[in-house]
Amino acid sequence: MEKFVKHRFLNSVLFTALFVPLGFFLLRDTIAAITGIMFESIGGKESFLYQINEDIARLIIAGLLILIMPLFFRGKCNFGFKGGKLALGICLALPELIVPVWNLLQIKVYEAPLVTGVAAVAAAIMHGIGPGVSEEVFCRGFTVSNLMRIWKDKPNRIFRCMLVSGVSFGLLHALNAIATGDVFAALIQVIYTASIGMLDGAIYLRSRNLWGVILMHTLTDVSAFLAVFESNATGMDIIFCVFGSLLFIALALYLIRPAKRAEIDELWAEDWSFGDEDGKKRISAKVAAILTAVLVVTFAASLGVTIYQAKMGYDIPFFPASENALDKDVQYQIGGDGKELTILLPYEFGGKYDLENSDPESFVLKESRENGDTYLFVFSHEGTSTEKVKITFGLRLGDMSTSIKNYSVSVSFKDDGSISTVGG
């Protein structure tokens, strides 16, 4: 007896447009944490593989989505890598070139130093390919396609797919933007990324091919990583975001204008459908269920990783760690070149400090000694790593086995490797 597959979650607009893309970012952190340990053990934190660790994690997750979805839809799903209108997709995406061009102009205007060396340039390219492929697979290839299937009998489904997918893409950047502490700038960034999401969604709807938006997304991110910027967003940046947002929204609406709706409907007539399921003969649904269960467990684990990273003071994409105030007994001084940090802690005769440093190779203890009623520690940042370092000082008196007082210090770095802030 035949059974019909009931995709309960995949029929949900909220699940499709927000929860799946959000899960992508969280799962990326989990996989990156695992592969990061492996790459660090192989070549250290300065190695090329470690530098592109997050990009590898992005591509792994995108690959998993591409492999799993055909199991749910009996092979009838097309992520836009083949078929459709390739040339049209690339042509329609060309206006987005203004973004990488703007990034290159900023490099010239601010005389930002370019990254040097084959490994650094290759890493910048991978920093573009990773998000360019993975975010388009999730936010266009999956989200837009599944929304078109969910709303196949709804009026104005093309406009609704473009709008909802774009807005969800903007919202995914909201919490990351709030890390700046500037609510106005955060709002501008959400509107800007939502407008790009709408345009990319419209291009994908018109062409049924992802390569155009992947190319523009990749070029945008590569151009942003080719140089080291130290300054925050300027007034010109905000003006560009506002102008660009209006332009992208106008282009998106033009691309899906009523005169093109019939052409779009014909292009999307197939590709994603339920199909019927014979539970006795086919195992696809069972395999999909098992893989989904594994991803759900991994997703739960990723929340644990996120909480742990926040507790340890690391910066994470959606929940940047806030700088806690230093203990009132802690004093510090950053050297003139930004590479040396002196920390002074309270000291009593007979006391001893146990030191735990999360990055002992890059952030090296150069000196430690009594200094009157304080104990002095001098650290030097050897290298260019910009990962936050957590240091724990445990004060013991005499032969006591446990600390009577713990001091926690977190050190953040600028893009050039110099020390930027010190917190608790």
Side-chain angles (χ1 to χ4, degrees):
M1 180 177 179
E2 289 189 344
K3 300 178 181 178
F4 289 95
V5 179
K6 296 181 179 180
H7 305 293
R8 298 182 185 277
F9 288 110
L10 292 174
N11 281 337
S12 165
V13 173
L14 190 62
F15 182 82
T16 297
L18 197 59
F19 289 165
V20 169
L22 178 61
F24 156 72
F25 286 101
L26 291 176
L27 287 172
R28 178 202 64 188
D29 288 340
T30 302
I31 294 178
I34 297 171
T35 56
I37 295 172
M38 178 179 67
F39 293 147
E40 183 179 356
S41 66
I42 294 173
K45 291 187 175 180
E46 303 301 323
S47 67
F48 174 68
L49 285 176
Y50 189 85
Q51 291 180 47
I52 64 171
N53 180 41
E54 282 195 5
D55 303 308
I56 293 174
R58 290 172 184 268
L59 296 175
I60 289 173
I61 301 168
L64 286 174
L65 183 72
I66 292 171
L67 288 173
I68 289 173
M69 282 301 107
L71 297 177
F72 282 104
F73 292 98
R74 305 293 295 276
K76 296 182 179 180
C77 55
N78 176 6
F79 280 89
F81 286 106
K82 59 182 180 179
K85 300 180 179 181
L86 172 61
L88 177 63
I90 293 175
C91 289
L92 295 179
L94 288 178
E96 289 189 42
L97 278 175
I98 65 171
V99 184
V101 168
W102 174 259
N103 289 338
L104 295 176
L105 285 175
Q106 286 183 304
I107 293 174
K108 180 66 176 178
V109 170
Y110 296 117
E111 298 182 346
L114 296 172
V115 296
T116 57
V118 175
V121 173
I125 294 173
M126 280 302 299
H127 293 338
I129 293 174
V133 173
S134 60
E135 291 183 18
E136 294 308 320
V137 165
F138 271 83
C139 299
R140 251 66 65 183
F142 170 73
T143 298
V144 172
S145 297
N146 202 39
L147 288 178
M148 285 290 282
R149 180 190 63 81
I150 293 172
W151 286 331
K152 61 182 178 180
D153 298 322
K154 300 289 185 180
N156 296 321
R157 68 162 179 163
I158 296 171
F159 173 77
R160 293 166 69 173
C161 287
M162 180 273 291
L163 180 63
V164 171
S165 65
V167 170
S168 69
F169 187 63
L171 291 177
L172 288 171
H173 292 78
L175 295 176
N176 193 36
I178 292 174
T180 61
D182 189 332
V183 176
F184 177 73
L187 178 61
I188 292 295
Q189 185 177 4
V190 169
I191 295 173
Y192 177 66
T193 52
S195 67
I196 291 181
M198 290 181 196
L199 177 57
D200 285 343
I203 293 169
Y204 184 47
L205 286 166
R206 279 287 305 275
S207 65
R208 196 64 180 92
N209 191 287
L210 271 184
W211 288 111
V213 292
I214 285 177
L215 178 61
M216 292 303 119
H217 195 149
T218 299
L219 290 176
T220 295
D221 287 354
V222 169
S223 64
F225 282 102
L226 281 177
V228 179
F229 292 98
E230 295 185 3
S231 60
N232 295 323
T234 64
M236 288 301 297
D237 294 325
I238 295 176
I239 292 174
F240 175 80
C241 288
V242 173
F243 170 79
S245 298
L246 294 174
L247 174 63
F248 294 149
I249 292 172
L251 286 173
L253 292 173
Y254 178 76
L255 290 181
I256 61 167
R257 61 193 184 276
K260 297 294 180 180
R261 300 290 169 84
E263 177 185 327
I264 296 173
D265 282 331
E266 182 179 355
L267 194 60
W268 286 80
E270 293 294 335
D271 295 329
W272 290 66
S273 62
F274 279 123
D276 40 75
E277 174 72 21
D278 185 341
K280 293 182 179 180
K281 295 182 180 180
R282 298 187 63 88
I283 62 170
S284 296
K286 293 180 180 179
V287 173
I290 293 172
L291 290 175
T292 303
V294 171
L295 286 180
V296 169
V297 172
T298 308
F299 179 80
S302 72
L303 294 178
V305 171
T306 299
I307 294 171
Y308 172 77
Q309 288 180 320
K311 183 178 180 181
M312 294 301 293
Y314 300 126
D315 286 323
I316 50 181
F318 279 122
F319 308 100
S322 58
E323 292 286 0
N324 296 323
L326 279 168
D327 191 289
K328 63 181 180 180
D329 295 332
V330 179
Q331 305 173 54
Y332 75 92
Q333 182 177 0
I334 300 174
D337 62 354
K339 291 286 189 176
E340 189 172 274
L341 174 65
T342 300
I343 296 177
L344 295 170
L345 301 176
Y347 175 74
E348 295 180 18
F349 179 77
K352 181 181 179 182
Y353 277 99
D354 293 328
L355 173 64
E356 293 183 8
N357 183 354
S358 66
D359 189 10
E361 295 181 359
S362 173
F363 202 64
V364 180
L365 176 63
K366 306 293 287 187
E367 180 186 1
S368 62
R369 59 179 172 82
E370 298 175 22
N371 186 49
D373 60 351
T374 63
Y375 206 91
L376 178 146
F377 296 88
V378 179
F379 295 88
S380 177
H381 186 34
E382 308 286 342
T384 58
S385 173
T386 57
E387 289 198 7
K388 180 175 288 188
V389 172
K390 183 92 167 182
I391 309 172
T392 301
F393 303 88
L395 175 60
R396 290 190 290 120
L397 289 178
D399 296 327
M400 294 183 65
S401 59
T402 59
S403 301
I404 62 171
K405 177 71 174 178
N406 288 323
Y407 297 94
S408 179
V409 175
S410 60
V411 185
S412 300
F413 302 92
K414 300 177 183 177
D415 290 337
D416 63 359
S418 60
I419 299 169
S420 59
T421 59
V422 178

